Amino acid sequence: MSGLELRDISKRFGPVTAVADINLHIPEGRFVSFLGPSGCGKTTLLRLIAGLETATAGHIVLDGEDLTDRPTHRRNIGMVFQSLALFPHLSVGENITYSQKIRGAGRAERRKRADELLELVRLPGVADRNIAQLSGGQRQRVAIARALALEPKLFLLDEPLSALDAKLREEMQVELRMLQERLGITTIIVTHDQREAMTMSDEVVVMSTARVQQMGAPLEIYRNPASAFVAEFIGTSNLIEARQADGDSVRIGGQTFRTGGKPDGVAAGGDVVVSVRPEDVHVFPASGEGPNRLDGTVTFVRDVGASVETFVACGDLQIVAMATPKDRPDVHKGDDVKVELPAECCVVLKA
Amino acid sequence: MTRWGKTVFLTLVFGMTAAPLLIVAGVSLNAKKRMFFPPDGVSLRWFPEIFETAKWLEALTNSVVIAVSAAFIAVSIALPIAYFLWRHKVFYAKALFVAGLVPFALPPVITALGMLVFWGEIGFVGKMWNIMIGHGVFLVTLPLVMISLGLESIDDEIVEAARTMGADGRRMFATVIFPMVLPYMVAGYAFVLVLSMNEYIISFFLGQHATITLPVQVLASLRSGYTPVIAAVAVMFILFAVVVFSAVARFGDLPKLLGAWTPKE
Amino acid sequence: MSDRAFRRPPAAGRGPVGRVLTDGLVAPLRRFPFGLYPTLMIGVFFMIPFAIMFAISFAHRTESTYEAGFEITHYARFFSPLFTTHLWVTVQFAALASALSLVVAVPFTFFVSRLRRRPQVVALVFILCVLTLSEVIIAYSLSVVMSRSGGLPNVFEWLGFVDRAKSWYPSYFANLFGLTFFNIPFAVLVLYPACTRLDRELTEAAQTMGASPAKAFFTVVLPLLDRTILAAFVLLFVFTMGAFVTPTWLARPEDTMMAQLIAEQALGRGNIPFAAALSVFFMAVTLVLSLLAVRLRRGDRTSGA
């Protein structure tokens, strides 16, 4: 099988399990994100792939070759570190060609490669500069160029953009993705920023408490979260406790709501959680009657220009609805309203 | 330098450093009055002799009294300097701080000679308090550096918070700063205590055969012929240092005291 | 705050010296009166002794002691072989022992700084115990190790390497080994802060780029620590120059070092003025080298960039 395979990978640090029984297949040329809150094991998993940690159990296989016991320096990977880890005692060019020097490449060859790589990351002509003379964004590019110097089989990035300010970060995300598409290199990025993961990746691996919660295309995960954790971590979601009723319907409070489907293994009467994205929720003045609607009172309106969020208290529940300014409901704080949860947008999850 | 090579190297250095100490410990157990290793018969009889022989007991008492007082003197000098520099970053405080760093940088024999001629000119030679003050001033560098480290780790906003809550300078020192630097003071005290106990040359110069400390007695005894009591004293020294530094490590942040870089939150 | 409230008019006729004294000394002490105590302690018990010693280094030596005077005869003796041979011996031992101890201490400290916290603390406690252990005890321990009856020579005889064991000390190598041994813990503590500041990701990055751990150590760690190591060398050099007990116990008489010479002149021969002159020279060398070390450490690469 080509690509990267993780088979039953576990890593324990003393009593702490950082990564538990992970099985993943990442086909060649894919861009994958490991996404999760801090401490979920995503960085440990990346470091295991890089060989910077030794797995307690399991195997790491790349293109059919078992890498598990191979030391980092013989794995042929490129990695961008969180701190970037640029060598302060070397110039930009020397940093980029460090790996070639280790392999005994001549001066002229190294020079040529450094120029090529700097061209690739759109930072030409800085090869002789000192690292300290570069801006944050430029250092980022140097770190990327350095990791790509040997045309590695795997390109690993550990929260590489976290030190950049928001605007530059978004630019770099797009640029990084385009670069990866051009090179076709199998890439794994670790991030806790779901927007970053969704911007760049073919597939997102959502992790929490040392385990993979869900893996899939970004929109698939967004639309069909496998658990309440995923629903809440990817974007925002209204999570409503409910009870499974007959067929594709649930009971919320005293009312019956139709839903988009039924999770496997939940019988009628079982506890479930309904996830509805804020942008799918509609808010109407109190007179609007219809199915799948709750009564509520507006408690707060957040209008940030590009979007409007309406916070509605429906008994003990708080439902958030989001709309574009064009579609904003004509309601104000204190108004009694109806909230509609469209059936096809109600994703039912096991409680 | 694989993981294996690294372990071997570390073990080798630890082993090499520890070996003489272990051998001395072994020698101290000799049953006969000879310096054999491995020991010829096992006996603990040389340890009580430290407390039973007048010259060893006197040297031990002198060393303890000097170390306890010298450590107090050193901390009492270091605290005002460190606080002065931290609160008022004036040239005078900086100069005082540097003056506190100098004694430790100079070869101790120079300090010893300087202090000897000083006490000689004044007309007190060989008094115990010569050595107390001598050690206190010579070793002031350690508590000075440690207390400064402690003060630097106090966030400016903590001081500001105390002021907004109505603490004046004196009260702030008593309620906020002193408790926060106390561990560093204790660590500084412990370092001076151990180093003073072990110091040879200043004790030798200033003691002038009138006040004899333990290291001076050890070397004198070595010159006049071997006895396993010396090894027993050496073992006591080692144990003393182990106990004090383990306590410092247990109750304080030892890596930080030794200047380890700790990431700021 | 109060001192700013009542600002006195400048005293009439106050010269530049007076101004320096009041602004530089009196004003700070008015703000912080507790500063007087350390000033007095260090001034009286450290500065004044050195001033006296400096004065005595020019004094006239008499039969049993010295009397006031101004002569440079004691400094003139620096050109005699008595002084130059011992200076050369001291410099040799200091340079060799410092370099050898660094060869061990640099990788050792780097590894220790990479240990997890608990073993790291244990290692540090161990190092501190060895560091603070009296030079007397260490020299004695080593002499036991090198002695005929108690140590390695005995083991060698038993193993059959030598026919008849004999003591390995006093000798040139015994002294060099003793000084190196004594320097190692000190070197570790000098290098430790810089080693902890070395970002772990730097060596990891080198490994992802194909450098073996050993290669990473030589191409990344050592170049980053170069100034720190140089500064440590200077500090150790100064430290070793002052060695007294180790050479007394382990060195041959012809390898007498500076500190021993000073002690011998002052206590053995009662030539305090010559000992004082030696000390002044020794102090000047030490201060210059210490300043150099401070300079070097300021340029430490691990702290910036």
Side-chain angles (χ1 to χ4, degrees):
Chain A
M1 214 182 323
S2 75
L4 178 73
E5 273 181 274
L6 306 182
R7 297 182 192 150
D8 301 316
I9 288 284
S10 291
K11 174 67 184 175
R12 280 184 291 277
F13 295 105
V16 182
T17 302
V19 164
D21 304 323
I22 298 236
N23 282 288
L24 276 182
H25 176 226
I26 297 170
E28 203 177 333
R30 240 15 116 72
F31 196 128
V32 174
S33 301
F34 291 171
L35 176 65
S38 59
C40 71
K42 57 189 191 299
T43 293
T44 306
L45 191 58
L46 192 79
R47 290 171 59 86
L48 283 163
I49 295 169
L52 296 168
E53 305 285 353
T54 319
T56 314
H59 289 273
I60 297 165
V61 180
L62 182 63
D63 294 340
E65 250 184 296
D66 193 329
L67 292 185
T68 317
D69 295 322
R70 192 176 294 182
T72 303
H73 61 279
R74 289 199 270 115
R75 286 194 183 193
N76 192 19
I77 48 173
M79 183 155 171
V80 178
F81 289 81
Q82 191 164 10
S83 69
L84 302 186
L86 295 173
F87 302 134
H89 60 298
L90 301 180
S91 72
V92 170
E94 287 167 336
N95 259 284
I96 292 176
T97 55
Y98 177 87
S99 50
Q100 287 179 292
K101 191 168 185 197
I102 292 288
R103 281 166 173 73
R107 181 183 287 268
E109 186 188 339
R110 296 206 304 266
R111 181 72 210 199
K112 188 166 152 279
R113 185 72 180 136
D115 289 339
E116 271 170 30
L117 285 158
L118 284 171
E119 200 73 48
L120 184 74
V121 295
R122 303 203 291 127
L123 198 65
V126 298
D128 295 320
R129 293 248 196 108
N130 214 315
I131 296 298
Q133 292 171 290
L134 302 185
S135 70
Q138 289 174 322
R139 288 184 198 193
Q140 195 75 55
R141 288 162 199 265
V142 172
I144 291 168
R146 187 177 76 165
L148 295 171
L150 283 183
E151 297 176 349
K153 283 186 180 173
L154 272 179
F155 185 29
L156 309 175
L157 304 101
D158 182 10
E159 308 231 10
L161 308 178
S162 55
L164 302 182
D165 63 59
K167 209 167 159 151
L168 192 53
R169 187 161 62 223
E170 305 237 314
E171 281 172 28
M172 282 302 293
Q173 288 165 5
V174 175
E175 206 171 306
L176 200 53
R177 172 66 201 200
M178 289 182 348
L179 179 67
Q180 187 269 343
E181 279 175 342
R182 198 145 36 118
L183 299 174
I185 181 172
T186 313
T187 302
I188 304 174
I189 187 168
V190 160
T191 177
H192 60 267
D193 179 351
Q194 51 100 9
R195 198 176 146 84
E196 185 166 295
M198 293 182 72
T199 307
M200 294 192 283
S201 357
D202 298 308
E203 279 186 275
V204 178
V205 177
V206 185
M207 293 182 67
S208 110
T209 59
R211 283 166 201 283
V212 172
Q213 302 295 320
Q214 190 173 5
M215 177 174 178
L219 276 181
E220 166 65 18
I221 288 184
Y222 187 80
R223 280 290 144 213
N224 291 305
S227 65
F229 170 81
V230 176
E232 208 167 23
F233 196 77
I234 308 291
T236 52
S237 194
N238 293 295
L239 295 177
I240 305 161
E241 287 176 18
R243 188 163 294 237
Q244 183 65 39
D246 299 328
D248 292 344
S249 66
V250 294
R251 303 276 296 168
I252 298 174
Q255 285 171 264
T256 301
F257 282 73
R258 284 191 300 105
T259 62
K262 179 170 103 69
D264 293 333
V266 175
D271 288 331
V272 292
V273 174
V274 177
S275 161
V276 193
R277 297 287 179 192
E279 64 269 24
D280 295 329
V281 177
H282 300 300
V283 177
F284 300 99
S287 53
E289 290 296 333
N292 271 25
R293 290 189 183 189
L294 281 165
D295 292 316
T297 310
V298 176
T299 56
F300 187 73
V301 177
R302 182 193 344 235
D303 190 342
V304 294
S307 65
V308 183
E309 285 171 38
T310 312
F311 291 66
V312 183
C314 306
D316 294 339
L317 279 175
Q318 172 168 276
I319 304 282
V320 181
M322 192 166 78
T324 56
K326 196 158 53 88
D327 303 328
R328 70 171 290 169
D330 186 21
V331 295
H332 301 94
K333 187 173 172 179
D335 288 359
D336 287 332
V337 291
K338 291 270 186 197
V339 176
E340 183 185 337
L341 313 173
E344 66 280 11
C345 301
C346 288
V347 179
V348 184
L349 307 163
K350 274 191 236 183
Chain B
M1 240 167 282
T2 54
R3 187 168 303 235
W4 185 78
K6 184 169 138 181
T7 316
V8 168
F9 179 80
L10 279 176
T11 319
L12 217 66
V13 176
F14 276 121
M16 194 187 87
T17 327
L21 313 182
L22 293 177
I23 289 177
V24 169
V27 169
S28 75
L29 298 177
N30 265 317
K32 298 207 186 76
K33 196 171 174 166
R34 288 291 305 277
M35 184 171 77
F36 277 129
F37 188 84
D40 182 9
V42 173
S43 148
L44 284 173
R45 75 186 173 106
W46 306 109
F47 285 87
E49 205 167 308
I50 303 170
F51 302 93
E52 285 157 8
T53 320
K55 64 172 185 186
W56 286 112
L57 187 61
E58 193 199 321
L60 177 67
T61 322
N62 284 344
S63 275
V64 170
V65 172
I66 289 170
V68 168
S69 330
F72 178 79
I73 293 171
V75 172
S76 77
I77 299 174
L79 181 65
I81 300 181
Y83 185 72
F84 193 8
L85 181 61
W86 182 67
R87 269 313 290 279
H88 313 279
K89 296 210 163 18
V90 289
F91 174 77
Y92 183 70
K94 269 179 216 156
L96 211 49
F97 185 83
V98 172
L101 295 183
V102 171
F104 206 60
L106 290 178
V109 70
I110 302 179
T111 309
L113 183 63
M115 288 175 172
L116 175 65
V117 295
F118 172 77
W119 293 112
E121 290 287 326
I122 297 185
F124 297 101
V125 172
K127 298 278 180 290
M128 190 192 265
W129 40 273
N130 295 1
I131 308 178
M132 283 178 194
I133 296 175
H135 281 179
V137 173
F138 173 56
L139 298 172
V140 74
T141 311
L142 296 160
L144 184 58
V145 169
M146 286 180 185
I147 295 172
S148 295
L149 262 177
L151 286 168
E152 271 161 33
S153 70
I154 297 177
D155 197 326
D156 285 346
E157 290 192 352
I158 287 184
V159 175
E160 285 163 7
R163 282 162 102 186
T164 62
M165 288 184 278
D168 58 14
R170 193 160 301 189
R171 216 161 288 156
M172 188 166 69
F173 181 80
T175 55
V176 180
I177 292 160
F178 187 79
M180 286 184 79
V181 296
L182 190 61
Y184 296 89
M185 286 169 61
V186 173
Y189 187 93
F191 273 76
V192 179
L193 192 72
V194 175
L195 280 164
S196 165
M197 280 290 280
N198 283 287
E199 204 282 332
Y200 174 79
I201 201 158
I202 291 177
S203 312
F204 177 58
F205 269 59
L206 299 187
Q208 290 289 316
H209 307 296
T211 305
I212 291 176
T213 64
L214 216 40
V216 175
Q217 181 62 53
V218 169
L219 199 64
S221 299
L222 278 172
R223 282 181 203 274
S224 63
Y226 175 77
T227 134
V229 180
I230 296 173
V233 171
V235 170
M236 231 176 55
F237 269 112
I238 298 167
L239 291 179
F240 177 66
V242 171
V243 168
V244 172
F245 289 122
S246 302
V248 170
R250 172 78 185 71
F251 297 108
D253 186 345
L254 192 61
K256 191 174 172 187
L257 280 171
L258 298 179
W261 182 78
T262 33
K264 284 220 167 75
E265 279 301 308
Chain C
M1 268 171 265
S2 60
D3 57 341
R4 218 172 287 162
F6 74 87
R7 179 173 293 172
R8 288 160 305 135
R14 202 161 52 125
V17 177
R19 208 170 318 134
V20 167
L21 275 179
T22 30
D23 295 352
L25 205 118
V26 179
L29 282 180
R30 285 172 70 92
R31 276 167 78 180
F32 188 72
F34 293 111
L36 195 60
Y37 165 72
T39 310
L40 284 178
M41 289 300 279
I42 292 183
V44 173
F45 297 114
F46 192 71
M47 306 288 197
I48 292 181
F50 277 99
I52 295 175
M53 194 169 70
F54 188 68
I56 290 176
S57 72
F58 296 101
H60 178 69
R61 189 191 175 196
T62 61
E63 203 52 45
S64 58
T65 168
Y66 54 88
E67 61 187 25
F70 186 84
E71 51 187 60
I72 53 164
T73 46
H74 312 301
Y75 288 95
R77 284 183 74 188
F78 287 179
F79 298 100
S80 73
L82 167 74
F83 175 75
T84 47
T85 48
H86 291 307
L87 180 65
W88 171 232
V89 164
T90 307
V91 167
Q92 243 179 62
F93 275 125
L96 284 175
S98 311
L100 288 175
S101 61
L102 282 171
V103 169
V104 178
V106 170
F108 179 78
T109 316
F110 176 70
F111 293 150
V112 166
S113 73
R114 287 301 184 264
L115 291 174
R116 265 170 291 138
R117 187 176 166 90
R118 190 169 277 268
Q120 187 171 143
V121 169
V122 172
L124 290 175
V125 168
F126 177 79
I127 289 296
L128 279 175
C129 290
V130 180
L131 174 75
T132 54
L133 210 52
S134 183
E135 211 183 336
V136 174
I137 306 287
I138 292 194
Y140 162 63
S141 314
L142 291 175
S143 73
V144 172
V145 173
M146 292 188 268
S147 71
R148 204 188 63 77
S149 59
L152 287 176
N154 213 11
V155 176
F156 274 38
E157 185 187 79
W158 185 71
L159 289 173
F161 291 159
V162 287
D163 291 337
R164 230 183 97 74
K166 59 174 197 248
S167 180
W168 289 355
Y169 82 98
S171 69
Y172 188 91
F173 286 102
N175 188 38
L176 182 58
F177 183 74
L179 294 171
T180 305
F181 186 93
F182 195 55
N183 273 354
I184 288 174
F186 188 60
V188 171
L189 289 194
V190 173
L191 296 168
Y192 178 71
C195 283
T196 59
R197 276 200 304 273
L198 269 180
D199 191 344
R200 217 171 263 263
E201 290 192 343
L202 288 172
T203 43
E204 288 179 352
Q207 280 171 259
T208 62
M209 286 185 279
S212 64
K215 195 103 188 173
F217 182 81
F218 286 109
T219 56
V220 177
V221 176
L222 281 190
L224 282 173
L225 288 177
D226 56 358
R227 278 155 186 272
T228 311
I229 293 172
L230 210 56
F233 177 81
V234 175
L235 285 176
L236 289 170
F237 185 84
V238 168
F239 187 68
T240 321
M241 286 221 305
F244 175 78
V245 178
T246 309
T248 305
W249 203 239
L250 298 177
R252 299 171 302 174
E254 58 263 45
D255 293 333
T256 299
M257 291 174 69
M258 280 292 283
Q260 288 169 280
L261 190 61
I262 294 176
E264 163 67 15
Q265 291 294 333
L267 303 181
R269 294 167 195 253
N271 192 348
I272 302 268
F274 182 47
L278 285 174
S279 297
V280 169
F281 168 78
F282 207 2
M283 189 164 81
V285 171
T286 307
L287 285 181
V288 169
L289 289 177
S290 302
L291 285 177
L292 179 68
V294 170
R295 260 285 152 82
L296 286 169
R297 287 186 98 180
R298 201 163 286 162
D300 169 10
R301 295 179 203 261
T302 56
S303 57

